Amino acid sequence: MFGSGRKYRQKLGRRGENIACDTLQSCGMKILARNWRCKAGELDIVALDGDTIVFAEVKTTRYRRDFTPAENLSFRQRRRNYNAAKVYLRSLDIIGYPGRFDLIEVSLWWRIPVQVVHHRDYLPQLPARGSGNVF
């Protein structure tokens, strides 16, 4: 039973990430990486918006009127996203590009997206050289 629930959540998350990628691309962004992992955490989507690197966190849930997917985003997860983004920039030796954190909420009714909400700057921007600690 647990295995099937886990597979369902993984499929739901993948579906939400696909929708989020389509949303970002329709805004003119170029997808650089998906599900990038390191010891510090995971980045769902890394995209390029002009000269800004966008780290997009995707939260997907089944549609409910009284609940938003962002309510599943804990402080710990925000801190892990921030730290993973710093590692990403350091590992690729990217200096001088501004980094922005976006949150994309996807609500699905069965397989149909009911609501897609794109929040820009849900975390503070990264310092210029990827150093410094905000969290």
Side-chain angles (χ1 to χ4, degrees):
M1 174 123 168
F2 179 76
S4 63
R6 177 183 231 166
K7 283 185 180 181
Y8 172 78
R9 287 190 307 274
Q10 287 174 341
K11 283 183 180 181
L12 184 73
R14 253 192 317 272
R15 177 86 173 128
E17 286 177 7
N18 290 338
I19 292 167
C21 278
D22 292 343
T23 301
L24 294 176
Q25 287 173 329
S26 71
C27 293
M29 295 187 204
K30 180 181 177 188
I31 305 301
L32 301 176
R34 287 183 64 176
N35 300 313
W36 189 86
R37 295 173 192 262
C38 66
K39 204 172 198 173
E42 178 186 354
L43 300 170
D44 290 339
I45 301 171
V46 181
L48 190 61
D49 183 13
D51 65 346
T52 302
I53 296 178
V54 177
F55 302 100
E57 175 66 20
V58 181
K59 286 298 180 183
T60 309
T61 60
R62 289 178 290 163
Y63 178 70
R64 290 184 2 200
R65 291 176 203 253
D66 60 338
F67 184 79
T68 64
E71 292 178 41
N72 282 335
L73 189 60
S74 67
F75 175 79
R76 181 174 181 257
Q77 171 111 38
R78 292 172 197 245
R79 185 177 59 222
R80 288 179 58 83
N81 288 348
Y82 191 84
N83 290 332
K86 290 193 313 189
V87 171
Y88 179 85
L89 293 174
R90 260 187 262 134
S91 70
L92 296 178
D93 200 25
I94 298 173
I95 297 173
Y97 277 88
R100 183 179 84 217
F101 293 90
D102 289 3
L103 173 64
I104 301 174
E105 297 178 289
V106 180
S107 296
L108 299 174
W109 181 258
W110 297 101
R111 293 182 178 201
I112 302 166
V114 175
Q115 189 173 29
V116 179
V117 181
H118 182 187
H119 303 279
R120 294 172 61 107
D121 294 316
Y122 87 97
L123 286 178
Q125 287 193 348
L126 284 169
R129 296 213 176 250
S131 62
N133 243 347
V134 173
F135 287 95

